[in-house]
Each structure stands twice: as C-alpha cells, then as structure tokens.
Amino acid sequence: MQQSVPTSLFAVTPMHRRHLLGIFLASMSTLVLEVTITRVFSVTMWYHFAFLAVSMALMGSAVAGVVLYFFPQLASRADRVLGIGALALALSVPLTFILYMQIPFQPDLNRTELPAQQVLWLALVYLDLTVPFFLSGAVISLALSAWSEQVGRLYWADLTGASLGCLASIGALEALGGAGAVLTAGAIAGLAGLVLTWHSGRARVGGIVVALLLVALVVGNARFGWVTISVSKTGGEEAPRAYEKWNAYSRVTVYEVNRNPFFWSVSDIGWQRTIQQGGLGHRLLLIDAAAGTPIQEFTGDLYWVSFLRYDLTSFVYHLVEKPETLVIGPGGGRDVLAALASGAPHVTAVEVNPAVVAAVRGPFAEFAGHLYDRPDVTVVVEDARGYIARSPHRYDVIQAALIDTWAAGASGAFALSENSLYTVEAFRMYYEHLTERGILTVSRWYMPGRPAETLRLVSTGMAGWARAGVAEPQNHIAVIVHFVASNPKEGLATVLFKRTPFMPEEVALIQDRARELGFTVLYAPGLPATEEVGAFLTADDPGAWIARYPLDITPATDDRPFFFNLVRFGDLFSQALRASGVYQVSIESAGILLAVLGITAVVGVLFVLVPLGWGVRRRGLAAPSARMLTYFGALGVGFMLVEIPIIQRLTVYLGRPVYSLAVGLFALLLFSGLGSLWAGRRRGQPLLPLLVGLVGLVVLNALAVPWVLDRTVGWPLAARLAMAVGMLAPLAFLMGIPFPTGIRLAGARRPGVIPWLWGINGVMSVMGSALAVAFSIHLGIRATLLIAAGCYALAAGVFRRGEF
C-alpha cells in the first residue's frame, strides 16, 4: 500500500521517536489483521472471498485520506489526535470482528448470483470490517500529513511495521487460532495507542486501560475460548468437533467417529469386501470446513484395511507388484494404508500441512494405528515439489489422489488456486524420479460431456513428458474412470503416466483388472477413442484441439500455475457448469474478481472521487493535474501488479503458501521501507533515472528470474528462502522510492492536492490487486510483470524534468 496525505499548513508539534514507534505498531497491527482476515474468510465463507480483505484494507485507507482532505486542521493537533485514533483502532478490531461473526452471510455456490438478502449481508460485512482499516489509515495518514517533510522516515516506519506484521500474523495464527490472531491485532494497536498517548497524563490513563484490556482479552480468550469461530459450509450448525487446530495454512478440524468406511469411488467388489471385513470406520478431517480427508481406523493388521485396494484411486496397485511408493498429500493416511495393504515394502508420505500430520500422530494416533510412526512409513512435512526435486531416489509409484488447494493458504487473498504440483515442470520432475517400470497415478474428477479437469490433467502430463524428452507421450498414458450409482453425472478418473510406453500386454492387463473391478478404460494405447479424453489423446494436432475446446485445458505451467481455473470469464453464467461441483469454485472465483472490480469502482467513485471533486468545486480546494493523477494511479496499479505475481511465483518456488506470504510481503515491504528511508535522506537524487532502473528490474524479474528459480527449486528450504529475499531486495528497494518522493515534490508545489493523490492511489491499488490475479490466471505471471513494467514506464513518462 503506497499512500499519503496533505501537507499541513498549520504549526504542529515536532516529530519524536514515539511517533515513529506508534506508526510502526499501528501498521503492524493492520497487517496482522489483514492477513488473519484472509484466513478467517477462507474458513467462514469460501476461499475466493478472502480476496475481499485486500479491497477492504486499501479502500478503508483511501477513504481516511478523503476525510482528512476536508479536515486539514487535524494535522495541527496530530500529537493528540494520533493517540485517540490508535485507541479507537484498537477497540474497533474486536468489536467489528464480533459483529462480523453475527452477520448471517452464507453464499450458495449452487446459484448463479447471490440472493438480494445475501448481497446486503455481504455489503454489511464489507462496511463493518472496513472500519478498522479506515481508522488505521487515518492514524498513519494523519502522521504523514503533519510531518510531510519527514515522509521518508514515517513511510519507513509504516512499511517496516507492516513487514513484521506479516511474520507476527503467522505466529499468532499458529499459537492462538483465527479469533485469537484478530484479538492480537487489536492488542498491538492498543500498544500503539499507549505509546502515542504516553506524553499526556490524562490520555495516558486511557491508553493504559485500553492496552491492558485488550492484552487481557487475548490471554483470556486463549485460556477460556470466549470468542470462537464455528461454521458449516453445507448449511446448518457445525458438527461437534473432536479437534481443532489453526495455522497459517488452514483451520484443521476433526469430527466424531463415522462407523461407515470412506471411499472416493469404490468398486462393487471393494464394497462387498468391506462388508465381509466389518467395515472399519473413519474420522473426517476437514481443512477450512470444506476440503476433506479421512483418518482411517486401523488396528495395525493390514488385512482389515485391504478393502482400500478396490477404490479407483488405488488402481495402480493392481498393475505394479511390491512398489516403492511416494504418496503426495497423504492427509489422514488413507492412501498410505492402501499402498501398504497392496504389498508396498515402504511408503514415503509427503504432507505440506503440519497440522494434519500433528492430528494423526497426536490425539488420533491410537485410532489410526500409529500409522505415521510405522517403520515402513516415512512421513515428511514439506512441499512435495521441493522434496522430490531434491530426492536422489526413484519410485515405482508416485501417487497424487485428489490433491487440491481449495483450502486457501495464508496467501489466499492474493492467489486463488495456484498449485505447484499440477504444472508441466512438476510433471517433468515426476518423470525423472520414476523407475523404468514406474507409474505416476493422479486422480481427479470427471464430468461426462465436458471433462475439462481430466483433459487439463492429461494435457499437462503430456507436455511434462514431452519436455522430459518423450517423443510420443500419448503412448505412456492410460485413463480409467468410475461412476457411482448415486451420481452418474459426475465420476472420478485416474490417469496413469508411465515412464516407458504401455506395451500391448500391459494394456490387456489394465483392461482385465478394470473389467473385474467394474471400472471403465477411457483410453489406453491401441484402444479406440470413445469420448473426449480419448479423442484428444488420439488427435493429430493436440494444440488445435485444445484451442477449439470451450473450456481452458491448456497445460498449466509455473508461469500459469492455475490448474483449477478452467472457466473463462465468458462462462460465468453457464448453468450447466455451475451444476457441477468440479467447476463451481472456478466460476465463483472468477466472479469474485469481477465483483471486486465492481465494488472498487462504485466505492471509489462514491467515497473518494466524488467527495474530492465536490471539494474542488464547492470549497475551492486545490485540484491536482492530470499528470499527477496518472503518476500516482500508475504507481498504485504497478505496485500490486508486481506484489501479487511475485507471491504467486514464490508459492510455486517455495511450495508452502505461508512462506510465499512471509517472504514475499516481508521482503517487499521491508526493503520498500528502506528505499523510502534512503529517498528521504537523499532529496537531491533525480527520480527519473531511478524509475527507469525500476522498469528494467521488473522486466528482468519477468524474463530472467524464472530460469534461475527453475534451476534452484531443488535447493534446501533455507537456501531457497535466501534466494527469494536476494531476488526481491533490489526490486523492492527501488519500488519504495517513487511514491514518497512524488508526495514530497507534489506537496511542495500544491500542498492541498495530496489527498487526491492518496485517493487515486488507493482506488487504483485495489483495482490493481484484482487485475493482477486476473492477468496472472489468463495471461501468466510473466505477462503480468511486463504490464507492471509498463505502469512504471508510464509513471516515468509523465514525470518529466523533475516535475509533474
């Protein structure tokens, strides 16, 4: 966020270090709240609604600038008003959050549009949770207004506090959960109020009371659970929870024992076998109240879980004997048990979410038969992409069954569905880590008549095999599908990618085993094509086939890692697609992007541009030039078009959304703050050459950095974190210079126009955040960064000869 406020025409108290510390704490509180709200939205609503938190934060600050535009005299009393504003911010955080938890907003993904009543509830949510961000923006902008000559130091304190707030939010979520992290944001704001009121005896008492009250609320809630989050995304009340754990990835909950066995798509033989064996039950583990994985009941005897072999996701074990196996995303351990029951001598299970492993190894260890502590199971808590890239081993089976990112990470506000496991580069890596008889088995949903998810999986796998040097990848693929009687319109497909071509005798074995189990072979080399998947795999020109297909089934790449975004904007109102759970999330996420743009336009016009225009016409306030508006609008869009793609790229590179958020935002904000501090101390430094240098660095990040990241993705995590910081540091340093320098120059020439610059920058930042996600999904990360370079080039173009 890059914003400031009007240069005051009134005498003010000199700025002291307590003011810098207060701004630091207020900004830190704001980022803790913003990041936490994205997590809370992912749990209480749906994952793509987390994106609204960015809009709330930026828009609240922009509106605060407009208020100061009409009351510039507040700057003369900044020393007193800052403390009051910080205390108001501190109290508003818990109060608005508790109110939010009472608002009955419940989006229905089965509808094309939100009902009118739900739209009103959503608007109330937006207005309610924007209040703390408005107060935060008022505090920070008032300080910048009162001491605009010190804008470099203040902006440095602002951005440094924000960068540390990113890290603090992760710790707060891990230790205190979603509600506790929100209350922590309020407590930090209370400390900011205490610092800013310490010099005044009467106000100091209020600061002490508020700070102690909010700290006590955090401690008491951690012990007694006064503020809790309970949600059911399927309607009604949430089932009783046996376990709950928050972290920066997700909220993990486990529920009471279900005595029925859990299957994704089981054959009739498997169901009969389950009945004969007594049907061990399971506990459902949910991630963000939606994405589920079962913790299978297990006595330690593999015979009693052999029914798991008859699920379609386990089909590969009927083809490969005693396979050395790697399971990606084992969750509650069901796929690990299926491999062991099929004769696998050893299973390596790579799970990215530590809270999931902690549940299976901790309170439910006995129920799960101490599965993750068996000598023939190695559990690794790490991103699978990085682990496999570094592994010297090859595997007979690599399995990924229904692994997805519907449970948004901490970066859910910035990245809707990027996934490093379903890209061409990842499939090339899988190929390189298979033995000569090795098979990669991936299971995804299949929708007859429009199997876009299966088609995209196949197209991505083919491109990955081709990049590994395979001349005819279609000869290495087999596709098996199964429908359950309760839902014949939507099935499950398992796609087998073999390192070597499938021989005729292997195809015959696939057919025999599928026939025995009641599955259908959609495609295998040498078999006639009977539907779209087979037609694609036997097409003379697969590229032309992809181009003609009505949905987006182009191979996902590290540059466009949005495997699950299958729907183009033109399909948003398709009732046929919305009827399928496979495509609902893709439709809704694209719709939310458009909604954010619409909300931004309406709110920006009504609460920012109209009041500012009214002030110029009716009150004779100063108006900025078109060049000024263009410059600061370009900076707002450009900053977000760099920030969000960088975080998306780091999600692929580092594997864990929590690291992409922590490293991405932390480094960008920290080094931007240092750039601002440097600019404030070197006021004679020409801005235009720095803008040109910034354009060059953005282009370099767009074109050259992917090559470096691709060759270092197998490095240890610490080395990759250092690489990410080193990559971001010079870019972020230069990104921190143009805004405060422009504010200082504009304030010197037209002191009253700075609120306009604040407002246009805020509105364009919100629009830039939505555009960044849309561009990344549909054009790619590289193209988005090049557009960002164009924005900074536009800013350089309107800033000529050191003036606007």
Side-chain angles (χ1 to χ4, degrees):
M1 188 190 316
Q2 305 184 53
Q3 299 169 339
S4 188
V5 290
T7 301
S8 176
L9 301 178
F10 301 89
V12 296
T13 303
M15 188 179 72
H16 298 286
R17 290 182 179 178
R18 70 171 183 272
H19 298 123
L20 292 176
L21 179 57
I23 294 303
F24 171 89
L25 290 171
S27 183
M28 183 179 180
S29 166
T30 303
L31 260 292
V32 171
L33 179 63
E34 182 178 343
V35 172
T36 303
I37 287 295
T38 67
R39 281 270 75 248
V40 171
F41 276 6
S42 292
V43 174
T44 58
M45 297 195 284
W46 289 90
Y47 316 115
H48 32 270
F49 280 96
F51 189 76
L52 287 176
V54 180
S55 174
M56 293 174 182
L58 294 172
M59 192 61 68
S61 295
V63 174
V66 175
V67 172
L68 289 178
Y69 182 51
F70 289 97
F71 299 98
Q73 64 274 17
L74 290 176
S76 64
R77 301 195 297 273
D79 197 40
R80 177 186 177 189
V81 177
L82 280 176
I84 296 174
L87 294 178
L89 165 64
L91 292 172
S92 74
V93 171
L95 292 176
T96 56
F97 182 72
I98 291 171
L99 175 60
Y100 161 68
M101 293 304 300
Q102 308 307 312
I103 298 174
F105 175 63
Q106 184 66 48
D108 183 358
L109 294 187
N110 292 313
R111 297 184 61 134
T112 303
E113 69 287 327
L114 287 174
Q117 184 182 31
Q118 293 299 319
V119 171
L120 294 176
W121 289 131
L122 179 59
L124 181 58
V125 168
Y126 192 95
L127 293 174
D128 172 49
L129 293 179
T130 299
V131 170
F133 297 113
F134 165 79
L135 292 171
S136 170
V139 168
I140 296 170
S141 61
L142 180 59
L144 294 170
S145 175
W147 300 292
S148 60
E149 289 301 311
Q150 300 289 328
V151 63
R153 296 176 66 198
L154 286 165
Y155 201 45
W156 164 75
D158 176 21
L159 293 178
T160 303
S163 66
L164 293 180
C166 297
L167 302 183
S169 66
I170 295 170
L173 283 166
E174 293 276 356
L176 302 171
V182 171
L183 298 178
T184 299
I188 296 173
L191 294 177
L194 179 59
V195 168
L196 291 170
T197 58
W198 191 256
H199 67 289
S200 173
R202 182 180 301 177
R204 183 192 307 170
V205 174
I208 293 173
V209 171
V210 171
L212 289 177
L213 175 65
L214 290 169
V215 171
L217 184 59
V218 172
V219 175
N221 188 71
R223 184 172 181 180
F224 302 109
W226 294 330
V227 182
T228 60
I229 296 174
S230 179
V231 61
S232 173
K233 290 181 177 176
T234 58
E237 297 293 327
E238 183 177 16
R241 289 162 284 175
Y243 175 83
E244 179 180 26
K245 172 65 178 176
W246 285 77
N247 61 14
Y249 301 91
S250 62
R251 172 205 190 222
V252 170
T253 49
V254 181
Y255 300 88
E256 299 297 329
V257 177
N258 188 322
R259 298 315 313 176
N260 295 317
F262 184 98
F263 292 108
W264 293 113
S265 190
V266 67
S267 68
D268 291 340
I269 293 176
W271 183 252
Q272 294 170 5
R273 183 74 174 269
T274 303
I275 295 174
Q276 294 170 2
Q277 293 179 338
L280 294 176
H282 71 280
R283 288 180 179 268
L284 182 61
L285 184 154
L286 286 184
I287 301 171
D288 282 355
T293 177
I295 301 177
Q296 174 63 50
E297 186 178 5
F298 180 46
T299 63
D301 187 344
L302 292 171
Y303 169 79
W304 296 106
V305 292
S306 59
F307 60 84
L308 295 174
R309 300 184 67 242
Y310 300 96
D311 194 279
L312 180 61
T313 58
S314 305
F315 184 79
V316 68
Y317 300 117
H318 295 269
L319 308 177
V320 184
E321 294 184 357
K322 297 182 178 179
E324 182 68 23
T325 302
L326 183 142
V327 174
I328 298 173
R334 183 182 179 281
D335 294 333
V336 175
L337 280 174
L340 294 174
S342 301
H346 183 268
V347 177
T348 300
V350 186
E351 172 60 50
V352 72
N353 194 331
V356 173
V357 174
V360 179
R361 272 185 166 161
F364 306 105
E366 185 173 355
F367 180 82
H370 298 277
L371 173 65
Y372 282 171
D373 296 310
R374 288 172 60 99
D376 51 359
V377 175
T378 298
V379 179
V380 181
V381 180
E382 193 176 342
D383 66 285
R385 175 88 174 265
Y387 176 81
I388 297 173
R390 291 188 301 278
S391 174
H393 303 294
R394 291 190 175 190
Y395 302 92
D396 300 313
V397 169
I398 298 176
Q399 182 183 22
L402 297 163
I403 306 301
D404 57 48
T405 56
W406 283 12
S411 58
F414 309 102
L416 294 183
S417 59
E418 65 272 27
N419 193 310
S420 64
L421 301 175
Y422 294 102
T423 68
V424 173
E425 293 83 355
F427 275 79
R428 181 200 64 193
M429 181 193 66
Y430 300 145
Y431 174 90
E432 293 168 350
H433 284 80
L434 289 172
T435 62
E436 289 305 307
R437 68 168 185 158
I439 297 176
L440 167 68
T441 172
V442 186
S443 301
R444 294 300 322 163
W445 301 112
Y446 177 88
M447 183 177 176
R450 193 166 283 185
E453 190 167 293
T454 306
L455 285 166
R456 190 164 217 182
L457 173 61
V458 169
S459 73
T460 302
M462 286 180 64
W465 254 236
R467 188 167 295 188
V470 174
E472 297 181 327
Q474 67 271 19
N475 293 331
H476 298 243
I477 296 174
V479 184
I480 302 93
V481 70
H482 183 240
F483 299 92
V484 295
S486 60
N487 188 11
K489 295 183 179 180
E490 200 164 277
L492 186 69
T494 288
V495 183
L496 307 177
F497 301 91
K498 194 167 181 287
R499 181 179 173 91
T500 57
F502 281 106
M503 296 292 102
E505 59 273 20
E506 292 174 319
V507 173
L509 177 62
I510 290 173
Q511 289 180 293
D512 290 342
R513 294 293 180 267
R515 190 180 304 110
E516 292 172 8
L517 296 171
F519 301 152
T520 301
V521 180
L522 291 186
Y523 172 83
L527 299 183
T530 59
E531 48 73 73
E532 287 185 305
V533 174
F536 169 62
L537 283 163
T538 56
D540 294 332
D541 187 352
W545 206 97
I546 291 172
R548 291 193 304 267
Y549 198 74
L551 294 172
D552 188 359
I553 60 170
T554 55
T557 65
D558 283 357
D559 186 58
R560 286 187 66 216
F562 306 95
F563 178 87
F564 298 103
N565 283 86
L566 304 162
V567 178
R568 298 183 175 94
F569 284 113
D571 299 305
L572 288 180
F573 302 102
S574 170
Q575 292 292 344
L577 292 179
R578 189 171 290 272
S580 167
V582 176
Y583 304 120
Q584 281 176 0
V585 172
S586 185
I587 291 174
E588 287 290 323
S589 60
I592 288 298
L593 284 177
L594 294 179
V596 168
L597 287 171
I599 290 172
T600 301
V602 172
V603 175
V605 169
L606 292 180
F607 293 97
V608 178
L609 300 183
V610 168
L612 291 174
W614 181 84
V616 171
R617 292 192 305 272
R618 297 298 179 89
R619 299 182 57 178
L621 300 178
S625 66
R627 288 168 60 190
M628 283 184 178
L629 293 177
T630 302
Y631 177 84
F632 286 97
L635 291 185
V637 175
F639 194 93
M640 301 309 294
L641 290 183
V642 171
E643 177 184 296
I644 291 176
I646 288 292
I647 292 174
Q648 292 167 331
R649 178 180 281 171
L650 289 180
T651 299
V652 174
Y653 180 60
L654 300 176
R656 299 186 183 186
V658 62
Y659 290 146
S660 69
L661 179 75
V663 174
L665 278 184
F666 173 78
L668 282 171
L669 294 172
L670 178 65
F671 287 101
S672 292
L674 291 175
S676 175
L677 185 63
W678 179 87
R681 293 178 175 177
R682 288 169 173 78
R683 300 189 178 187
Q685 180 71 35
L687 179 58
L688 191 57
L690 294 174
L691 282 169
V692 174
L694 176 56
V695 172
L697 271 183
V698 175
V699 172
L700 183 65
N701 270 267
L703 301 180
V705 166
W707 183 89
V708 176
L709 299 184
D710 183 57
R711 282 152 182 79
T712 59
V713 71
W715 285 8
L717 178 61
R720 282 181 288 152
L721 290 171
M723 171 63 73
V725 172
M727 175 192 72
L728 290 176
L731 176 64
F733 185 86
L734 288 183
M735 289 172 65
I737 296 173
F739 189 85
T741 302
I743 285 292
R744 189 180 67 249
L745 294 174
R749 289 168 173 79
R750 300 185 186 184
V753 304
I754 296 179
W756 269 96
L757 311 182
W758 165 283
I760 195 67
N761 183 261
V763 172
M764 297 308 293
S765 293
V766 182
M767 296 190 69
S769 63
L771 290 172
V773 176
F775 288 160
S776 294
I777 291 173
H778 295 282
L779 300 177
I781 293 172
R782 181 183 296 109
T784 304
L785 288 171
L786 291 175
I787 296 172
C791 290
Y792 282 114
L794 175 62
V798 299
F799 186 84
R800 299 193 301 267
R801 296 184 300 277
E803 60 182 25
F804 292 103

